[in-house]
Amino acid sequence: MDAAFTAEQDDIRRSVREVLRRRCGSQDVRAAVDTPAGHDPGLWAALAGQLGLPGLALPDAYGGVGCSATEAALVGEETGRALAPSPLLATAVLAAPLLLALGTEEQRAELLPRIASGALTAALAVPGPRLATALALTGANDGDWAGGGRAGGMQARPVDGGWRLYGEADQVLDGHSAELLLVPAHTGGFARTRTLLFLVGDDARGVVRTRRTALDATRPLARVQLRDTEARLVGADDGAGLPAALAEVGDRAAAFLACEAVGAAARALETTVGHVGQREQFGRPVGSFQAVRHRLADVYVGVQAARSAAYYAAWACAHGESVGALALAQALEALRTAAAEAIQFHGGLGFTWEHDAHLLFKRAAGDELLFGPPHRLRARAAERSGLFGDGPHERQIHGLHEGQAHGLHEGQAHGLHEGPVHGLHKGQVTV
């Protein structure tokens, strides 16, 4: 593994950070999440038109850039730092790769170029509580994650050579604003049911979408109801490739989400270090107290270790290893700790609605609800690897034991981060 980023990758990071600095400040985020769409269309146009982020990982043949998971992970770190509300996760990280993996050539040619240009947004209509299972992050996705049972979830039936869907999925990520829905649904009867993937456009009849109140407003959720709605089948009608495709997408998504969490955790730490260097107590800066230094040094080590694991997970996506869930577990814990300490060290100010600390804490809690919690991510990784028995994937978690990803301990790989957080080099708070 080459631990150094290329000049092109550094340029991608720098360009994304600059656009987000100009268009995604704290007030911009708050204004965007209060709109009906839940994001700023102007920011999305900039991310798509100027930077090509929706098509970053799509092949050139479909209007994409053809980059690897590493470039996508760098983008995720910057969008996580800014808490950018956008359809990037739902559209480019979850929906587009599924279309690429399972869609017919006609469907790819029709839809992927529009997604790559930012003209079309999409969402995977899986109920929020089951999303991590569907992506094979917290459990095997060969069960009833699409709703299950005779009356639950989404159901599909063939009608006049086509398909009709009915049912409901709650807490769908970006389900209220996406122009294209990818809907997993059961068909074949209760005894011989199978799960297939369908396409539903925003102009289809019988679609009712309602935005729900979400803990993390920067990740808007919706209830999607289908009432005898016409749909197109994605790919083959046997559904055999859907679980494997979802698992592959889930591993890449976990690496992306881990980098997002690392970016948010780094921002929480930087904000806290800056505050304790200015706030005085008993006639001296709070950051000069040894107990404060030790606690923030622990946060720094946790963030750097999580960064190392997240970068390794992104690299591993293209090298036959599946360690995204472990990296995500470590990153979610680092973000939760950094956000909690930010609130604690900001005192009464950190509890106010106007301060960014609560946005960071809600991102930590919201991501754990959607994609975790960490202990379930680790349990699934242990199950897949055969940690407590014989399994073919045991080698896949060897390199991520306690956050030490093949020489990337504490983020000290050349070029893998932009230097230590100011004032916390080697665990020291400078005030």
Side-chain angles (χ1 to χ4, degrees):
M1 174 183 177
D2 183 1
F5 288 130
T6 65
E8 181 181 6
Q9 290 168 338
D10 288 333
D11 287 341
I12 291 174
R13 180 204 293 275
R14 193 160 37 246
S15 299
V16 174
R17 179 172 292 192
E18 179 59 23
V19 170
L20 292 176
R21 184 190 65 80
R22 288 188 283 106
R23 307 191 61 120
C24 198
S26 177
Q27 295 305 315
D28 299 316
V29 171
R30 295 171 188 274
V33 299
D34 287 335
T35 63
H39 66 270
D40 178 11
L43 173 62
W44 178 241
L47 295 177
Q50 296 180 24
L51 303 176
L53 297 191
L56 194 65
L58 291 176
D60 298 345
Y62 302 112
V65 184
C67 291
S68 69
T70 302
E71 286 78 14
L74 293 179
V75 170
E77 187 172 1
E78 296 307 319
T79 57
R81 180 188 295 273
L83 296 179
S86 80
L88 185 66
L89 174 61
T91 299
V93 179
L94 297 178
L98 274 178
L99 276 174
L100 181 63
L102 299 175
T104 65
E105 184 56 38
E106 180 183 358
Q107 290 169 341
R108 294 173 187 168
E110 174 194 355
L111 299 172
L112 291 181
R114 295 173 59 197
I115 289 177
S117 68
L120 179 68
T121 58
L124 179 61
V126 174
R130 299 189 179 101
L131 183 56
T133 302
L135 298 174
L137 296 176
T138 58
N141 63 357
D142 54 358
D144 60 358
W145 52 266
R150 302 177 192 229
M154 295 290 187
Q155 304 291 326
R157 60 188 176 93
V159 177
D160 298 331
W163 293 89
R164 297 289 182 92
L165 305 185
Y166 59 95
E168 175 182 305
D170 205 359
Q171 301 179 43
V172 175
L173 185 63
D174 280 344
H176 66 296
S177 62
E179 296 157 314
L180 179 69
L181 295 174
L182 273 70
V183 184
H186 292 284
T187 186
F190 180 69
R192 302 174 60 184
T193 186
R194 64 190 189 280
T195 302
L196 304 178
L197 188 65
F198 297 90
L199 296 174
V200 175
D202 61 346
D203 58 347
R205 292 189 305 172
V207 180
V208 179
R209 303 190 287 183
T210 307
R211 185 174 176 181
R212 308 279 278 168
T213 300
L215 175 62
D216 177 13
T218 65
R219 295 222 197 273
L221 305 174
R223 174 188 292 155
V224 176
Q225 296 172 303
L226 303 182
R227 301 169 180 173
D228 205 31
T229 302
E230 293 186 6
R232 285 191 293 164
L233 181 66
V234 177
D237 63 356
D238 58 4
L242 182 58
L246 282 167
E248 183 176 353
V249 170
D251 187 60
R252 288 177 174 267
F256 180 89
L257 289 163
C259 285
E260 268 201 342
V262 166
R267 175 180 169 185
L269 180 58
E270 291 168 3
T271 302
T272 306
V273 171
H275 180 73
V276 299
Q278 298 175 1
R279 179 187 173 195
E280 292 190 358
Q281 190 75 25
F282 305 112
R284 56 188 290 193
V286 171
S288 64
F289 294 106
Q290 188 177 42
V292 174
R293 293 186 180 193
H294 286 176
R295 285 172 62 175
L296 291 182
D298 288 342
V299 175
Y300 171 73
V301 171
V303 171
Q304 296 295 57
R307 176 180 278 118
S308 299
Y311 287 164
Y312 179 76
W315 174 87
C317 287
H319 293 82
E321 295 189 59
S322 179
V323 294
L326 285 174
L328 179 56
Q330 188 161 351
L332 289 177
E333 288 183 340
L335 175 55
R336 184 207 309 150
T337 301
E341 293 289 58
I343 292 176
Q344 181 72 25
F345 282 116
H346 278 84
L349 179 66
F351 283 88
T352 62
W353 187 258
E354 294 76 16
H355 200 273
D356 289 348
H358 85 277
L359 292 177
L360 293 162
F361 189 82
K362 287 178 179 179
R363 168 58 66 89
D367 275 6
E368 287 198 22
L369 289 174
L370 277 176
F371 305 105
H375 72 271
R376 290 191 61 193
L377 291 166
R378 291 195 174 100
R380 174 58 181 164
E383 178 186 349
R384 292 186 61 197
S385 67
L387 185 63
F388 303 110
D390 295 330
H393 305 292
E394 187 170 357
R395 65 184 184 280
Q396 293 181 351
I397 64 168
H398 179 68
L400 277 174
H401 180 60
E402 297 182 357
Q404 299 179 11
H406 291 292
L408 298 185
H409 181 55
E410 298 185 9
Q412 296 176 351
H414 295 296
L416 285 189
H417 60 85
E418 298 180 355
V421 178
H422 295 298
L424 275 178
H425 184 55
K426 296 183 179 179
Q428 299 296 319
V429 178
T430 303
V431 297

